[in-house]
Each structure stands twice: as C-alpha cells, then as structure tokens.
Amino acid sequence: MASRDYPRLSIYDFGQHLLESGDLDPVYIALEKMEWGDPAHLERWLLAYWCFYHCGAASYISEHQGEGFWDAMREAARNVLPAPDGGRWPRGSERRHFRGKAAIDAVERLRARFGDMPERAVHDIAYGVPPDHIIPVTARPQPFAEVAARAKGLPLFGPWIAFKVCDMLDRLGIAPIDFDKASVFMFADPVKAALRLWRAHENLPDNAEPKDEATKHLIIDNVVAHLTEHFKAHTAPPRHERPVALQEIETILCKHKSHMNGHYPLFNDINEIRGGLSGWAPYSETARAMLHAMPEGSHGPA
C-alpha cells in the first residue's frame, strides 16, 4: 500500500510527471513496445487482463491457446490450486468481484461463446462483427456507447471495465473510439477531481458545490479545456500520434485525486505493475518481455 507521507504536487507538476515518466498509462506503453508476433496473443492477453486485471496473470494465461486458454482461465477463476508463482491467483482491486462461482460461471460462458478462438472476443467487442470480416482502414471511429454496450454484454463486465476496454482498444490502435465528455466523466472520481480544481481556482471552500447539474457540466468542460490547453505540448501515450486530450485529462484528474488523498506517490503504477510482473517472470516469457518493456520506476529497471 502506498505511503501517505510524501510531498503533494500541483496538478500541473503531477500531470507533467505522469506524462514524462510514463506513469500515466504504463501498461499501454509496455504493450505497444512489445513484439507480439501473432496479434492473437495480444488479444488473448487483453481478454485475460480485462477479467483479472493483473499483468502477470494475463501474461501467463495468454500463452495458452484454444482449450488450453480456457483451462488456465478456469484455474485462475477457481483459485483452488496455487498459481505458478506458488501463491493465489491474483485479481486487481478494480476486478475484485471477478471471483468465486460468479467468475467460474463467467469463464464458462465466455468459453461457450468464443470456443477455440478466445482472441475473437476483442474483435467482437471492437466492431461487433466476426473476425474474418475485413474492416476498412478508413472506418469511422466507433461510438463509445456502442462499443461499451458490447463489452457489457460479456459476463461480469460492468460500466467501469467496459470503459477501460474502450480506452485500451483506442489507445493501442485496435479500434478508434469516439469518446465524449459524458462517457469519460460518468464516474465519480474524475468529476470530484475537476470540482476540486474549480474550487481551488475560485478560492471556494472545500464543501462548495455547483448550483445545478448544468453548472457542474459547464465547470467540467472548462476544467478539461484549461488542462488540455496546459498540457498541449505533450502527446498521448503510447503511440503519440495526437496531443493530450480528453482521455488523458481524465487519467490525470483521477490520479491527482488519489495523489492528494495520500494514495498515489510518484511512480506508483509503474512500481506496482513491475512488482506484480516480477513474481511471474520466472514462469512466463510474456511477463518477462512485458517487464523489460515497462517504463522505469523510482528504483530503476528490474
């Protein structure tokens, strides 16, 4: 658990650190940097990650194909036999509910749907068509609401993981997604962080609230515009094909909220993910490759 005893940075200095260190989205950077060979391997990795939200477990599971993939997924869901590292099969805190009988049933339902091609799940979510359907290079960005709805059609996939699915599909260049402020700011944390910045700029007390929903939406719009302008010299990881925009501003706001509350020291995500991968590296070539591709944390490379 992160220590609360560290200097607090302004959102401007903190956001710059996230962007320059790679701690904004270190998983995206590592996935983009790795040489996958077979795209289906990355797609199996994504499906396992979305279920368990742990890079080490996803790396190990993704190395299995067809029925072997589902065997590994079942074992992780049941969590009775030790994981390859000798401990319990991990869940990221964000997917802590993907466990027990519900998780076991979810894996069986996924297997029934995708059979010996588990990687097909990624294409189905992204475009809603079979994987042998050719998507034109000039295909329009997919509306967030449509892709998120397809993600939420998978068992135990709720609004938060559906948003993360859309974000990863877009940022990894698998499918362009058309986000809007409503889709990005549908969760409490970025809204709270935006309102905190508004209060600070207006010298308002900590308990000040917008007078109505319309005013709150206007405040969020203004905060996003202000931060987008501030960080316009930075490009969006991992592909850096465009300037920082709505998705990255949401991440900066969320992480800054945790930073100010004592739960996010500098390099937090990089250090935690590298630590989680280190335990799996002896058992998974993919985990070793991902560890090598990760940005360096506060303690340097592994």
Side-chain angles (χ1 to χ4, degrees):
M1 182 177 293
S3 169
R4 293 175 178 267
D5 186 19
Y6 56 79
R8 299 329 193 241
L9 301 183
S10 73
I11 193 168
Y12 310 107
D13 292 339
F14 181 74
Q16 181 171 331
H17 165 78
L18 292 178
L19 290 162
E20 292 180 351
S21 68
D23 201 37
L24 185 80
D25 280 308
V27 171
Y28 298 9
I29 292 173
L31 294 177
E32 179 73 11
K33 187 177 178 182
M34 292 168 67
E35 295 182 5
W36 290 93
D38 181 4
H41 186 183
L42 170 60
E43 292 164 352
R44 291 192 301 272
W45 190 97
L46 289 170
L47 180 57
Y49 182 68
W50 294 335
C51 289
F52 298 102
Y53 216 69
H54 189 278
C55 291
S59 295
Y60 175 83
I61 294 170
S62 71
E63 293 171 351
H64 299 74
Q65 301 182 39
E67 193 60 33
F69 176 87
W70 299 119
D71 287 342
M73 289 283 284
R74 285 191 201 97
E75 191 172 323
R78 290 171 181 155
N79 207 1
V80 175
L81 297 176
D85 66 352
R88 292 180 64 78
W89 287 88
R91 275 44 165 188
S93 60
E94 297 86 350
R95 294 295 273 156
R96 59 191 176 274
H97 300 300
F98 197 91
R99 62 176 66 253
K101 185 177 185 302
I104 295 169
D105 291 345
V107 169
E108 293 303 328
R109 289 171 60 191
L110 289 168
R111 177 186 173 277
R113 177 169 173 179
F114 299 112
D116 60 359
M117 290 183 64
E119 53 270 15
R120 186 164 62 89
V122 174
H123 202 278
D124 276 12
I125 295 169
Y127 292 106
V129 295
D132 57 355
H133 182 89
I134 297 174
I135 304 297
V137 176
T138 56
R140 65 181 176 86
Q142 300 291 294
F144 167 82
E146 294 181 11
V147 181
R150 290 195 288 268
K152 286 186 286 187
L154 301 185
L156 293 187
F157 275 55
W160 185 86
I161 195 61
F163 174 85
K164 194 66 179 177
V165 167
C166 291
D167 193 35
M168 295 186 80
L169 291 173
D170 181 75
R171 295 312 308 135
L172 294 175
I174 296 171
I177 308 295
D178 184 12
F179 290 88
D180 56 36
K181 289 189 181 71
S183 63
V184 172
F185 284 85
M186 63 181 174
F187 302 109
D189 278 357
V191 171
K192 289 178 181 177
L195 293 179
R196 183 204 292 261
L197 188 60
W198 163 67
R199 294 184 193 103
H201 276 208
E202 299 296 327
N203 293 315
L204 296 171
D206 291 344
N207 61 351
E209 293 290 339
K211 64 181 181 180
D212 51 39
E213 282 297 307
T215 303
K216 182 169 75 173
H217 291 314
L218 179 60
I219 290 168
I220 292 171
D221 287 351
N222 290 339
V223 167
V224 170
H226 170 70
L227 292 177
T228 302
E229 173 66 20
H230 180 83
F231 291 113
K232 67 181 181 181
H234 296 274
T235 52
R239 292 180 296 136
H240 301 284
E241 85 289 10
R242 61 163 173 78
V244 163
L246 185 61
Q247 293 150 263
E248 293 74 41
I249 296 303
E250 185 266 357
T251 303
I252 291 171
L253 283 165
C254 284
K255 292 191 173 185
H256 190 250
K257 177 179 178 291
S258 292
H259 175 73
M260 295 301 290
N261 289 342
H263 303 299
Y264 202 104
L266 300 185
F267 297 101
N268 184 79
D269 276 6
I270 293 175
N271 287 338
E272 286 191 355
I273 295 165
R274 290 182 71 96
L277 282 166
S278 294
W280 287 78
Y283 313 99
S284 165
E285 182 179 348
T286 307
R288 291 194 295 274
M290 190 169 192
L291 184 59
H292 181 72
M294 282 285 294
E296 293 184 10
S298 58
H299 306 299

